[in-house]
Amino acid sequence: MHSSNDQTASSRPLANLIDGEWVSSGELFQNINPSDLSDKIGDYALADADQAHQAIAAANRAFPAWASTTPQQRADILDAAGTTILARKEELGRLLAREEGKTLPEAIGEVVRAGQIFKFFAGEALRIAGEKLASVRPDVEIEIRREPVGVIGLITPWNFPIAIPAWKIAPALAYGNCVILKPAELVPGCAWELARILVDAGLPPGVFSLLMGHGRVLGEVLTSSPGVHAISFTGSVATGRRVAAKAVETGKKIQLEMGGKNPLVVLDDADLKIAVEAAANGAFFSTGQRCTASSRLIVTEGIHDRFVAALVERMKGLTVDHALKPGTAIGPVVSQEQLDQDLRYLRIGQEEGARLVTGGERLSRETEGYFLSPALFTETTASMRINREEIFGPVASVIRAKDYDEALALANDTEFGLAAGICTTSLKLASHFKRHAQAGMVMVNLPTAGVDYHVPFGGRKASSYGPREQGRHAVEFYTTIKTAYQFSG
Ligand code: ADP
């Protein structure tokens, strides 16, 4: 076992952070670029269950002192981390594009968002507020205070390798919690850089630990250990449900962000250009690998054929290539496993009778990578598996609706409820849709994906469980309420 305090990006392998020490175990795993399988980004140390227990013990030791720091101390550390992330946006963006496969501009945008999130929660650390009320009894006063929850386990997916860890870590630390981050296996690079940035920003040992490796080993320890007091998870529905069931056994607070099957409704009166842009962006940018992606395009009769023709045209103009290449609009699919899943659903759609009007082809490029052309199905029905199950790739389907009422019913005919969009020039129907779409986030004349960093994010139904993430509402999950009574008669 190797342990040191001066781990740098140039030394290999990159280690886990446990109790303020960089620790590498015997086993390593490789981080590979999905745009170019010959590009090995680095070797990373696989944390094991014992190390997970060590990180949990260290976090519990660090918690009392960290919970008693002043808001200014926490604000300064978060602000410093945000400043570093923003200053290094190009370099971190390149790393993100290399390990996850979204295009460089998208990756830099994600890094900027992560920096802004740290800055936002630096401010929030200073604004932790409570309430003071008179008691129903004489000479008694009541205070309602917010206190940190304790040690929080964060389990994150591969599709936003820096923004999702950031939007969980920043509020957790701002409100005085200790954190253990378990990033997805495919994207340890951004998580490791984030860990180093937090150490350099001055976080005391144990307050933040990084455990890279397998969910079924590390995730299981985090979700079952009584030393972890809350779990915030983003990932698949199946894993989320498992995490929740385990976490409840030890009474943890739980927050889950899972899948989506987000509808974008396009009405006859829509501005065609806006609708096509919203659909192309929402369905295919970031290779369709966003839980907010518009995978169901619900289009009314009068505009259907014009919309499909214009969207197909737009899709043909989207260059699929290496994520770092200038001019690339869509990078590769993240992994062989995800590519297999996308191809499987493309087959399923055709077997179900949907018409594949464009795309869905495996593409070869200068470098060997998981390139897939964006695919569009038409003549689909709500009951088809391609309209019910999350594919998580550059695949969308068009469902024909006779009018707004049917479109709204179709939009809500899903077990998911993360985001929903509508393209219309009718103020009345836009307002009606905002009110009646069964989703946590509703967009009018905008893609379903692409959200601001300072407002709540989250969904309903099978998409989410527990309080919202981001913005001021993050306080609900990352603090616990204390009601204090005082007699002063
Ligand atoms: P994705 O399709 O995004 O990989 P997963 O739900 O499989 O979705 O993974 C999301 C996160 O959950 C990853 O960090 C993964 O390692 C972790 N994970 C996987 N299995 C488990 C488990 N049994 N318990 C806890 N976390 C897990």
Side-chain angles (χ1 to χ4, degrees):
M1 178 177 283
H2 164 82
S3 162
S4 96
N5 276 321
D6 61 350
Q7 173 111 31
T8 63
S10 56
S11 64
R12 292 285 189 268
L14 296 172
N16 291 294
L17 177 66
I18 300 165
D19 203 5
E21 299 273 308
W22 294 105
V23 184
S24 38
S25 57
E27 251 193 284
L28 300 177
F29 68 109
Q30 260 188 351
N31 189 3
I32 289 170
N33 182 347
S35 296
D36 176 2
L37 305 187
S38 69
D39 178 21
K40 314 268 188 280
I41 297 162
D43 288 320
Y44 292 79
L46 262 185
D48 59 23
D50 279 351
Q51 290 170 335
H53 286 294
Q54 286 165 23
I56 294 167
N60 279 282
R61 285 195 300 276
F63 177 66
W66 177 246
S68 315
T69 50
T70 64
Q72 189 65 56
Q73 286 170 308
R74 298 196 298 278
D76 287 346
I77 290 173
L78 294 174
D79 189 60
T83 300
T84 307
I85 292 167
L86 292 175
R88 292 176 55 194
K89 66 180 181 184
E90 305 278 340
E91 169 219 341
L92 293 171
R94 283 184 78 80
L95 171 65
L96 199 165
R98 269 175 83 201
E99 73 174 352
E100 197 271 347
K102 65 184 62 171
T103 66
L104 185 59
E106 287 175 326
I108 292 172
E110 185 183 332
V111 171
V112 168
R113 181 170 174 196
Q116 288 166 330
I117 288 168
F118 275 97
K119 296 260 174 195
F120 176 86
F121 282 106
E124 285 306 287
L126 297 161
R127 284 189 283 269
I128 303 171
E131 287 173 63
K132 195 154 191 173
L133 284 83
S135 167
V136 293
R137 289 169 279 171
D139 300 322
V140 172
E141 281 193 338
I142 306 173
E143 281 169 19
I144 304 171
R145 307 157 54 97
R146 289 198 177 269
E147 296 187 354
V149 178
V151 175
I152 311 216
L154 306 179
I155 300 175
T156 56
W158 49 260
N159 64 331
F160 285 89
I162 197 161
I164 294 181
W167 84 48
K168 294 181 193 293
I169 295 167
L173 294 177
Y175 300 123
N177 301 284
C178 291
V179 168
I180 299 169
L181 172 65
K182 206 305 277 173
E185 293 88 325
L186 288 171
V187 291
C190 286
W192 187 88
E193 290 293 344
L194 207 44
R196 198 175 63 153
I197 288 168
L198 287 166
V199 170
D200 291 348
L203 268 191
V207 172
F208 175 86
S209 293
L210 173 70
L211 297 173
M212 298 179 290
H214 298 307
R216 62 177 187 280
V217 178
L218 305 170
E220 293 283 327
V221 175
L222 291 177
T223 48
S224 55
S225 166
V228 175
H229 309 108
I231 292 277
S232 180
F233 167 90
T234 303
S236 63
V237 176
T239 310
R241 290 194 174 145
R242 188 181 164 82
V243 162
K246 279 255 167 189
V248 148
E249 283 172 24
T250 40
K252 298 186 202 335
K253 244 181 137 164
I254 319 166
Q255 178 180 61
L256 309 174
E257 266 321 318
M258 301 170 286
K261 198 71 203 171
N262 310 293
L264 177 70
V265 170
V266 178
L267 297 184
D268 286 356
D269 68 7
D271 177 319
L272 187 63
K273 236 174 124 187
I274 289 178
V276 167
E277 216 35 55
N281 175 323
F284 306 118
F285 287 13
S286 298
T287 323
Q289 297 175 150
R290 296 186 281 190
C291 46
T292 47
S294 323
S295 49
R296 295 184 300 136
L297 308 173
I298 300 166
V299 187
T300 48
E301 296 279 13
I303 198 170
H304 180 279
D305 295 355
R306 275 183 299 139
F307 172 80
V308 169
L311 180 58
V312 167
E313 208 42 46
R314 178 77 176 94
M315 288 167 69
K316 289 188 172 149
L318 295 171
T319 306
V320 181
D321 209 330
H322 196 300
L324 294 178
K325 227 182 196 175
T328 296
I330 300 180
V333 172
V334 73
S335 65
Q336 182 67 53
E337 197 186 349
Q338 186 60 48
L339 180 66
D340 291 345
Q341 174 164 314
D342 297 348
L343 294 171
R344 194 165 62 244
Y345 276 106
L346 285 163
R347 273 198 307 277
I348 291 171
Q350 291 175 88
E351 283 160 16
E352 286 179 312
R355 209 176 130 224
L356 183 63
V357 283
T358 186
E361 286 153 14
R362 192 71 174 80
L363 303 173
S364 37
R365 293 290 179 257
E366 248 170 70
T367 48
E368 195 193 339
Y370 306 118
F371 302 108
L372 182 67
S373 59
L376 188 69
F377 282 116
T378 58
E379 313 310 327
T380 75
T381 62
S383 60
M384 290 179 175
R385 283 182 65 193
I386 52 166
N387 282 327
R388 305 217 75 82
E389 298 167 21
E390 189 177 50
I391 302 172
F392 221 63
V395 183
S397 37
V398 177
I399 309 175
R400 202 187 281 265
K402 69 174 186 303
D403 55 17
Y404 168 73
D405 289 334
E406 192 187 34
L408 175 64
L410 285 165
N412 289 334
D413 181 13
T414 168
E415 66 168 309
F416 295 108
L418 187 56
I422 190 166
C423 293
T424 179
T425 48
S426 159
L427 182 61
K428 187 168 162 228
L429 295 180
S431 305
H432 189 274
F433 189 79
K434 279 195 279 185
R435 173 88 182 74
H436 295 281
Q438 293 164 3
M441 297 175 290
V442 186
M443 287 36 177
V444 178
N445 295 322
L446 285 168
T448 53
V451 294
D452 285 8
Y453 68 88
H454 65 306
V455 288
F457 176 97
R460 301 181 181 177
K461 296 158 84 176
S463 289
S464 307
Y465 185 89
R468 287 288 184 270
E469 303 202 71
Q470 300 196 66
R472 303 197 74 174
H473 288 69
V475 76
E476 296 297 334
F477 181 72
Y478 291 103
T479 62
T480 182
I481 297 259
K482 180 179 279 171
T483 312
Y485 295 82
Q486 186 169 348
F487 175 62
S488 45

PDB file of all heavy atoms in Angstrom, residues 155-159 182-185 213-216 218-220 223 233-237 239-240 242-243 338 392, ligand 1:
ATOM      1  N   ILE A 155     -23.262   9.038  -4.334  1.00  0.00           N
ATOM      2  CA  ILE A 155     -23.028   8.023  -5.378  1.00  0.00           C
ATOM      3  C   ILE A 155     -23.458   8.651  -6.697  1.00  0.00           C
ATOM      4  O   ILE A 155     -24.621   9.041  -6.853  1.00  0.00           O
ATOM      5  CB  ILE A 155     -23.821   6.742  -5.067  1.00  0.00           C
ATOM      6  CG1 ILE A 155     -23.389   6.170  -3.708  1.00  0.00           C
ATOM      7  CG2 ILE A 155     -23.612   5.706  -6.170  1.00  0.00           C
ATOM      8  CD1 ILE A 155     -24.190   4.978  -3.230  1.00  0.00           C
ATOM      9  N   THR A 156     -22.513   8.775  -7.627  1.00  0.00           N
ATOM     10  CA  THR A 156     -22.791   9.574  -8.824  1.00  0.00           C
ATOM     11  C   THR A 156     -22.596   8.766 -10.112  1.00  0.00           C
ATOM     12  O   THR A 156     -21.855   7.791 -10.129  1.00  0.00           O
ATOM     13  CB  THR A 156     -21.904  10.838  -8.835  1.00  0.00           C
ATOM     14  OG1 THR A 156     -20.531  10.445  -8.742  1.00  0.00           O
ATOM     15  CG2 THR A 156     -22.249  11.759  -7.683  1.00  0.00           C
ATOM     16  N   PRO A 157     -23.261   9.205 -11.184  1.00  0.00           N
ATOM     17  CA  PRO A 157     -23.214   8.479 -12.455  1.00  0.00           C
ATOM     18  C   PRO A 157     -22.115   9.044 -13.369  1.00  0.00           C
ATOM     19  O   PRO A 157     -21.437  10.004 -13.007  1.00  0.00           O
ATOM     20  CB  PRO A 157     -24.587   8.784 -13.047  1.00  0.00           C
ATOM     21  CG  PRO A 157     -24.859  10.192 -12.602  1.00  0.00           C
ATOM     22  CD  PRO A 157     -24.198  10.350 -11.261  1.00  0.00           C
ATOM     23  N   TRP A 158     -22.011   8.469 -14.573  1.00  0.00           N
ATOM     24  CA  TRP A 158     -20.918   8.879 -15.463  1.00  0.00           C
ATOM     25  C   TRP A 158     -21.267  10.040 -16.372  1.00  0.00           C
ATOM     26  O   TRP A 158     -20.391  10.648 -16.973  1.00  0.00           O
ATOM     27  CB  TRP A 158     -20.434   7.696 -16.304  1.00  0.00           C
ATOM     28  CG  TRP A 158     -21.539   6.932 -16.988  1.00  0.00           C
ATOM     29  CD1 TRP A 158     -22.090   5.748 -16.559  1.00  0.00           C
ATOM     30  CD2 TRP A 158     -22.257   7.290 -18.180  1.00  0.00           C
ATOM     31  NE1 TRP A 158     -23.100   5.361 -17.413  1.00  0.00           N
ATOM     32  CE2 TRP A 158     -23.218   6.290 -18.417  1.00  0.00           C
ATOM     33  CE3 TRP A 158     -22.179   8.360 -19.072  1.00  0.00           C
ATOM     34  CZ2 TRP A 158     -24.098   6.321 -19.503  1.00  0.00           C
ATOM     35  CZ3 TRP A 158     -23.055   8.408 -20.151  1.00  0.00           C
ATOM     36  CH2 TRP A 158     -23.995   7.393 -20.356  1.00  0.00           C
ATOM     37  N   ASN A 159     -22.558  10.411 -16.509  1.00  0.00           N
ATOM     38  CA  ASN A 159     -22.903  11.335 -17.604  1.00  0.00           C
ATOM     39  C   ASN A 159     -22.597  12.800 -17.326  1.00  0.00           C
ATOM     40  O   ASN A 159     -22.465  13.582 -18.271  1.00  0.00           O
ATOM     41  CB  ASN A 159     -24.358  11.135 -18.041  1.00  0.00           C
ATOM     42  CG  ASN A 159     -25.349  11.470 -16.969  1.00  0.00           C
ATOM     43  OD1 ASN A 159     -25.056  11.344 -15.779  1.00  0.00           O
ATOM     44  ND2 ASN A 159     -26.521  11.899 -17.351  1.00  0.00           N
ATOM     45  N   LYS A 182     -18.431   8.577  -4.092  1.00  0.00           N
ATOM     46  CA  LYS A 182     -18.169   7.362  -4.878  1.00  0.00           C
ATOM     47  C   LYS A 182     -18.598   7.673  -6.315  1.00  0.00           C
ATOM     48  O   LYS A 182     -19.771   7.542  -6.662  1.00  0.00           O
ATOM     49  CB  LYS A 182     -18.979   6.205  -4.297  1.00  0.00           C
ATOM     50  CG  LYS A 182     -18.428   4.827  -4.529  1.00  0.00           C
ATOM     51  CD  LYS A 182     -18.157   4.452  -5.960  1.00  0.00           C
ATOM     52  CE  LYS A 182     -19.369   3.970  -6.711  1.00  0.00           C
ATOM     53  NZ  LYS A 182     -19.068   3.785  -8.174  1.00  0.00           N
ATOM     54  N   PRO A 183     -17.639   8.107  -7.158  1.00  0.00           N
ATOM     55  CA  PRO A 183     -18.017   8.425  -8.542  1.00  0.00           C
ATOM     56  C   PRO A 183     -18.207   7.161  -9.357  1.00  0.00           C
ATOM     57  O   PRO A 183     -17.800   6.078  -8.944  1.00  0.00           O
ATOM     58  CB  PRO A 183     -16.809   9.219  -9.050  1.00  0.00           C
ATOM     59  CG  PRO A 183     -15.650   8.694  -8.260  1.00  0.00           C
ATOM     60  CD  PRO A 183     -16.202   8.295  -6.907  1.00  0.00           C
ATOM     61  N   ALA A 184     -18.806   7.307 -10.546  1.00  0.00           N
ATOM     62  CA  ALA A 184     -19.004   6.152 -11.425  1.00  0.00           C
ATOM     63  C   ALA A 184     -17.648   5.622 -11.907  1.00  0.00           C
ATOM     64  O   ALA A 184     -16.705   6.389 -12.112  1.00  0.00           O
ATOM     65  CB  ALA A 184     -19.871   6.542 -12.609  1.00  0.00           C
ATOM     66  N   GLU A 185     -17.591   4.319 -12.109  1.00  0.00           N
ATOM     67  CA  GLU A 185     -16.357   3.638 -12.524  1.00  0.00           C
ATOM     68  C   GLU A 185     -15.755   4.233 -13.791  1.00  0.00           C
ATOM     69  O   GLU A 185     -14.539   4.300 -13.941  1.00  0.00           O
ATOM     70  CB  GLU A 185     -16.641   2.154 -12.808  1.00  0.00           C
ATOM     71  CG  GLU A 185     -17.023   1.320 -11.601  1.00  0.00           C
ATOM     72  CD  GLU A 185     -18.526   1.314 -11.302  1.00  0.00           C
ATOM     73  OE1 GLU A 185     -19.193   2.354 -11.526  1.00  0.00           O
ATOM     74  OE2 GLU A 185     -19.017   0.286 -10.814  1.00  0.00           O
ATOM     75  N   GLY A 213     -14.187   3.262  -7.620  1.00  0.00           N
ATOM     76  CA  GLY A 213     -14.312   1.817  -7.806  1.00  0.00           C
ATOM     77  C   GLY A 213     -15.737   1.365  -7.976  1.00  0.00           C
ATOM     78  O   GLY A 213     -16.606   2.142  -8.364  1.00  0.00           O
ATOM     79  N   HIS A 214     -15.935   0.096  -7.654  1.00  0.00           N
ATOM     80  CA  HIS A 214     -17.193  -0.549  -8.024  1.00  0.00           C
ATOM     81  C   HIS A 214     -18.353  -0.219  -7.077  1.00  0.00           C
ATOM     82  O   HIS A 214     -18.218  -0.276  -5.861  1.00  0.00           O
ATOM     83  CB  HIS A 214     -17.004  -2.068  -8.046  1.00  0.00           C
ATOM     84  CG  HIS A 214     -15.991  -2.492  -9.068  1.00  0.00           C
ATOM     85  ND1 HIS A 214     -16.071  -2.105 -10.381  1.00  0.00           N
ATOM     86  CD2 HIS A 214     -14.869  -3.237  -8.957  1.00  0.00           C
ATOM     87  CE1 HIS A 214     -15.052  -2.601 -11.061  1.00  0.00           C
ATOM     88  NE2 HIS A 214     -14.297  -3.292 -10.217  1.00  0.00           N
ATOM     89  N   GLY A 215     -19.488   0.056  -7.713  1.00  0.00           N
ATOM     90  CA  GLY A 215     -20.692   0.353  -6.944  1.00  0.00           C
ATOM     91  C   GLY A 215     -21.109  -0.800  -6.066  1.00  0.00           C
ATOM     92  O   GLY A 215     -21.517  -0.607  -4.926  1.00  0.00           O
ATOM     93  N   ARG A 216     -20.982  -2.016  -6.591  1.00  0.00           N
ATOM     94  CA  ARG A 216     -21.485  -3.149  -5.803  1.00  0.00           C
ATOM     95  C   ARG A 216     -20.603  -3.425  -4.590  1.00  0.00           C
ATOM     96  O   ARG A 216     -21.030  -4.094  -3.655  1.00  0.00           O
ATOM     97  CB  ARG A 216     -21.661  -4.398  -6.673  1.00  0.00           C
ATOM     98  CG  ARG A 216     -20.430  -4.914  -7.296  1.00  0.00           C
ATOM     99  CD  ARG A 216     -20.618  -6.187  -8.093  1.00  0.00           C
ATOM    100  NE  ARG A 216     -19.306  -6.647  -8.502  1.00  0.00           N
ATOM    101  CZ  ARG A 216     -18.633  -6.161  -9.533  1.00  0.00           C
ATOM    102  NH1 ARG A 216     -19.169  -5.221 -10.278  1.00  0.00           N
ATOM    103  NH2 ARG A 216     -17.426  -6.604  -9.818  1.00  0.00           N
ATOM    104  N   LEU A 218     -18.286  -0.638  -3.047  1.00  0.00           N
ATOM    105  CA  LEU A 218     -18.227   0.600  -2.251  1.00  0.00           C
ATOM    106  C   LEU A 218     -19.625   1.149  -1.969  1.00  0.00           C
ATOM    107  O   LEU A 218     -19.908   1.594  -0.853  1.00  0.00           O
ATOM    108  CB  LEU A 218     -17.405   1.649  -2.996  1.00  0.00           C
ATOM    109  CG  LEU A 218     -16.002   1.192  -3.394  1.00  0.00           C
ATOM    110  CD1 LEU A 218     -15.354   2.197  -4.328  1.00  0.00           C
ATOM    111  CD2 LEU A 218     -15.143   0.988  -2.147  1.00  0.00           C
ATOM    112  N   GLY A 219     -20.485   1.094  -2.991  1.00  0.00           N
ATOM    113  CA  GLY A 219     -21.848   1.591  -2.818  1.00  0.00           C
ATOM    114  C   GLY A 219     -22.558   0.795  -1.744  1.00  0.00           C
ATOM    115  O   GLY A 219     -23.296   1.338  -0.926  1.00  0.00           O
ATOM    116  N   GLU A 220     -22.316  -0.500  -1.739  1.00  0.00           N
ATOM    117  CA  GLU A 220     -22.976  -1.360  -0.740  1.00  0.00           C
ATOM    118  C   GLU A 220     -22.517  -0.988   0.672  1.00  0.00           C
ATOM    119  O   GLU A 220     -23.321  -0.955   1.598  1.00  0.00           O
ATOM    120  CB  GLU A 220     -22.668  -2.840  -1.015  1.00  0.00           C
ATOM    121  CG  GLU A 220     -23.283  -3.369  -2.294  1.00  0.00           C
ATOM    122  CD  GLU A 220     -24.781  -3.676  -2.192  1.00  0.00           C
ATOM    123  OE1 GLU A 220     -25.238  -4.083  -1.110  1.00  0.00           O
ATOM    124  OE2 GLU A 220     -25.479  -3.496  -3.206  1.00  0.00           O
ATOM    125  N   THR A 223     -24.162   2.393   1.594  1.00  0.00           N
ATOM    126  CA  THR A 223     -25.608   2.349   1.833  1.00  0.00           C
ATOM    127  C   THR A 223     -25.972   1.524   3.066  1.00  0.00           C
ATOM    128  O   THR A 223     -27.032   1.717   3.642  1.00  0.00           O
ATOM    129  CB  THR A 223     -26.379   1.787   0.615  1.00  0.00           C
ATOM    130  OG1 THR A 223     -25.748   0.604   0.169  1.00  0.00           O
ATOM    131  CG2 THR A 223     -26.410   2.765  -0.523  1.00  0.00           C
ATOM    132  N   PHE A 233     -28.046   9.889  -4.316  1.00  0.00           N
ATOM    133  CA  PHE A 233     -27.705   8.994  -5.421  1.00  0.00           C
ATOM    134  C   PHE A 233     -28.251   9.539  -6.726  1.00  0.00           C
ATOM    135  O   PHE A 233     -29.388  10.007  -6.781  1.00  0.00           O
ATOM    136  CB  PHE A 233     -28.321   7.611  -5.150  1.00  0.00           C
ATOM    137  CG  PHE A 233     -28.320   6.685  -6.339  1.00  0.00           C
ATOM    138  CD1 PHE A 233     -27.243   5.832  -6.580  1.00  0.00           C
ATOM    139  CD2 PHE A 233     -29.391   6.675  -7.235  1.00  0.00           C
ATOM    140  CE1 PHE A 233     -27.242   4.988  -7.687  1.00  0.00           C
ATOM    141  CE2 PHE A 233     -29.393   5.835  -8.340  1.00  0.00           C
ATOM    142  CZ  PHE A 233     -28.314   4.987  -8.566  1.00  0.00           C
ATOM    143  N   THR A 234     -27.457   9.489  -7.786  1.00  0.00           N
ATOM    144  CA  THR A 234     -27.972   9.720  -9.141  1.00  0.00           C
ATOM    145  C   THR A 234     -27.516   8.558  -9.994  1.00  0.00           C
ATOM    146  O   THR A 234     -26.324   8.213  -9.993  1.00  0.00           O
ATOM    147  CB  THR A 234     -27.454  11.051  -9.723  1.00  0.00           C
ATOM    148  OG1 THR A 234     -27.825  12.118  -8.849  1.00  0.00           O
ATOM    149  CG2 THR A 234     -28.049  11.307 -11.100  1.00  0.00           C
ATOM    150  N   GLY A 235     -28.451   7.942 -10.714  1.00  0.00           N
ATOM    151  CA  GLY A 235     -28.099   6.790 -11.543  1.00  0.00           C
ATOM    152  C   GLY A 235     -29.358   6.136 -12.063  1.00  0.00           C
ATOM    153  O   GLY A 235     -30.391   6.791 -12.246  1.00  0.00           O
ATOM    154  N   SER A 236     -29.278   4.831 -12.252  1.00  0.00           N
ATOM    155  CA  SER A 236     -30.407   4.125 -12.865  1.00  0.00           C
ATOM    156  C   SER A 236     -31.504   3.825 -11.833  1.00  0.00           C
ATOM    157  O   SER A 236     -31.259   3.817 -10.625  1.00  0.00           O
ATOM    158  CB  SER A 236     -29.907   2.817 -13.471  1.00  0.00           C
ATOM    159  OG  SER A 236     -29.396   2.001 -12.447  1.00  0.00           O
ATOM    160  N   VAL A 237     -32.687   3.541 -12.341  1.00  0.00           N
ATOM    161  CA  VAL A 237     -33.826   3.233 -11.471  1.00  0.00           C
ATOM    162  C   VAL A 237     -33.546   1.971 -10.654  1.00  0.00           C
ATOM    163  O   VAL A 237     -33.769   1.939  -9.441  1.00  0.00           O
ATOM    164  CB  VAL A 237     -35.109   3.037 -12.311  1.00  0.00           C
ATOM    165  CG1 VAL A 237     -36.274   2.619 -11.435  1.00  0.00           C
ATOM    166  CG2 VAL A 237     -35.452   4.311 -13.065  1.00  0.00           C
ATOM    167  N   THR A 239     -30.699   0.530  -9.715  1.00  0.00           N
ATOM    168  CA  THR A 239     -29.722   0.726  -8.636  1.00  0.00           C
ATOM    169  C   THR A 239     -30.289   1.651  -7.563  1.00  0.00           C
ATOM    170  O   THR A 239     -30.098   1.418  -6.369  1.00  0.00           O
ATOM    171  CB  THR A 239     -28.400   1.291  -9.189  1.00  0.00           C
ATOM    172  OG1 THR A 239     -27.988   0.505 -10.298  1.00  0.00           O
ATOM    173  CG2 THR A 239     -27.302   1.276  -8.146  1.00  0.00           C
ATOM    174  N   GLY A 240     -30.995   2.687  -7.999  1.00  0.00           N
ATOM    175  CA  GLY A 240     -31.579   3.632  -7.040  1.00  0.00           C
ATOM    176  C   GLY A 240     -32.511   2.938  -6.057  1.00  0.00           C
ATOM    177  O   GLY A 240     -32.469   3.191  -4.855  1.00  0.00           O
ATOM    178  N   ARG A 242     -32.467  -0.152  -5.176  1.00  0.00           N
ATOM    179  CA  ARG A 242     -31.665  -1.018  -4.312  1.00  0.00           C
ATOM    180  C   ARG A 242     -30.998  -0.191  -3.213  1.00  0.00           C
ATOM    181  O   ARG A 242     -30.990  -0.565  -2.035  1.00  0.00           O
ATOM    182  CB  ARG A 242     -30.606  -1.685  -5.196  1.00  0.00           C
ATOM    183  CG  ARG A 242     -29.826  -2.726  -4.520  1.00  0.00           C
ATOM    184  CD  ARG A 242     -28.781  -3.329  -5.446  1.00  0.00           C
ATOM    185  NE  ARG A 242     -27.832  -4.056  -4.628  1.00  0.00           N
ATOM    186  CZ  ARG A 242     -28.044  -5.276  -4.203  1.00  0.00           C
ATOM    187  NH1 ARG A 242     -29.125  -5.910  -4.552  1.00  0.00           N
ATOM    188  NH2 ARG A 242     -27.158  -5.862  -3.417  1.00  0.00           N
ATOM    189  N   VAL A 243     -30.446   0.962  -3.622  1.00  0.00           N
ATOM    190  CA  VAL A 243     -29.795   1.868  -2.677  1.00  0.00           C
ATOM    191  C   VAL A 243     -30.802   2.306  -1.615  1.00  0.00           C
ATOM    192  O   VAL A 243     -30.516   2.296  -0.415  1.00  0.00           O
ATOM    193  CB  VAL A 243     -29.219   3.098  -3.438  1.00  0.00           C
ATOM    194  CG1 VAL A 243     -28.927   4.256  -2.501  1.00  0.00           C
ATOM    195  CG2 VAL A 243     -27.969   2.700  -4.225  1.00  0.00           C
ATOM    196  N   GLN A 338     -23.011   0.634 -23.071  1.00  0.00           N
ATOM    197  CA  GLN A 338     -24.078   1.581 -23.401  1.00  0.00           C
ATOM    198  C   GLN A 338     -24.411   1.510 -24.890  1.00  0.00           C
ATOM    199  O   GLN A 338     -25.578   1.575 -25.278  1.00  0.00           O
ATOM    200  CB  GLN A 338     -23.657   3.002 -22.990  1.00  0.00           C
ATOM    201  CG  GLN A 338     -24.738   4.041 -23.156  1.00  0.00           C
ATOM    202  CD  GLN A 338     -25.986   3.758 -22.330  1.00  0.00           C
ATOM    203  OE1 GLN A 338     -25.904   3.464 -21.141  1.00  0.00           O
ATOM    204  NE2 GLN A 338     -27.153   3.824 -22.957  1.00  0.00           N
ATOM    205  N   PHE A 392     -31.182   6.076 -23.063  1.00  0.00           N
ATOM    206  CA  PHE A 392     -29.980   6.811 -22.651  1.00  0.00           C
ATOM    207  C   PHE A 392     -28.932   6.891 -23.753  1.00  0.00           C
ATOM    208  O   PHE A 392     -27.733   6.717 -23.531  1.00  0.00           O
ATOM    209  CB  PHE A 392     -29.372   6.206 -21.379  1.00  0.00           C
ATOM    210  CG  PHE A 392     -28.900   7.262 -20.418  1.00  0.00           C
ATOM    211  CD1 PHE A 392     -29.811   8.147 -19.866  1.00  0.00           C
ATOM    212  CD2 PHE A 392     -27.568   7.393 -20.074  1.00  0.00           C
ATOM    213  CE1 PHE A 392     -29.388   9.144 -18.988  1.00  0.00           C
ATOM    214  CE2 PHE A 392     -27.140   8.389 -19.196  1.00  0.00           C
ATOM    215  CZ  PHE A 392     -28.061   9.264 -18.646  1.00  0.00           C
TER     216      PHE A 392
HETATM  217  P1  ADP B   1     -25.403   4.103 -14.808  1.00  0.00           P
HETATM  218  O1  ADP B   1     -26.279   3.487 -15.840  1.00  0.00           O
HETATM  219  O2  ADP B   1     -25.389   5.606 -14.831  1.00  0.00           O
HETATM  220  O3  ADP B   1     -24.052   3.488 -14.697  1.00  0.00           O
HETATM  221  P2  ADP B   1     -25.939   2.912 -12.242  1.00  0.00           P
HETATM  222  O4  ADP B   1     -27.165   3.045 -11.427  1.00  0.00           O
HETATM  223  O5  ADP B   1     -25.482   1.570 -12.630  1.00  0.00           O
HETATM  224  O6  ADP B   1     -26.214   3.830 -13.486  1.00  0.00           O
HETATM  225  O7  ADP B   1     -24.718   3.631 -11.527  1.00  0.00           O
HETATM  226  C1  ADP B   1     -24.817   4.844 -10.825  1.00  0.00           C
HETATM  227  C2  ADP B   1     -23.860   4.803  -9.650  1.00  0.00           C
HETATM  228  O8  ADP B   1     -24.293   3.787  -8.736  1.00  0.00           O
HETATM  229  C3  ADP B   1     -22.422   4.445 -10.019  1.00  0.00           C
HETATM  230  O9  ADP B   1     -21.527   5.213  -9.242  1.00  0.00           O
HETATM  231  C4  ADP B   1     -22.349   2.980  -9.652  1.00  0.00           C
HETATM  232  O10 ADP B   1     -21.032   2.550  -9.350  1.00  0.00           O
HETATM  233  C5  ADP B   1     -23.202   2.950  -8.410  1.00  0.00           C
HETATM  234  N1  ADP B   1     -23.701   1.610  -8.043  1.00  0.00           N
HETATM  235  C6  ADP B   1     -23.821   0.516  -8.830  1.00  0.00           C
HETATM  236  N2  ADP B   1     -24.294  -0.540  -8.131  1.00  0.00           N
HETATM  237  C7  ADP B   1     -24.490  -0.104  -6.857  1.00  0.00           C
HETATM  238  C8  ADP B   1     -24.968  -0.706  -5.653  1.00  0.00           C
HETATM  239  N3  ADP B   1     -25.360  -1.987  -5.607  1.00  0.00           N
HETATM  240  N4  ADP B   1     -25.036   0.057  -4.547  1.00  0.00           N
HETATM  241  C9  ADP B   1     -24.686   1.356  -4.579  1.00  0.00           C
HETATM  242  N5  ADP B   1     -24.206   1.979  -5.668  1.00  0.00           N
HETATM  243  C10 ADP B   1     -24.110   1.267  -6.810  1.00  0.00           C
END
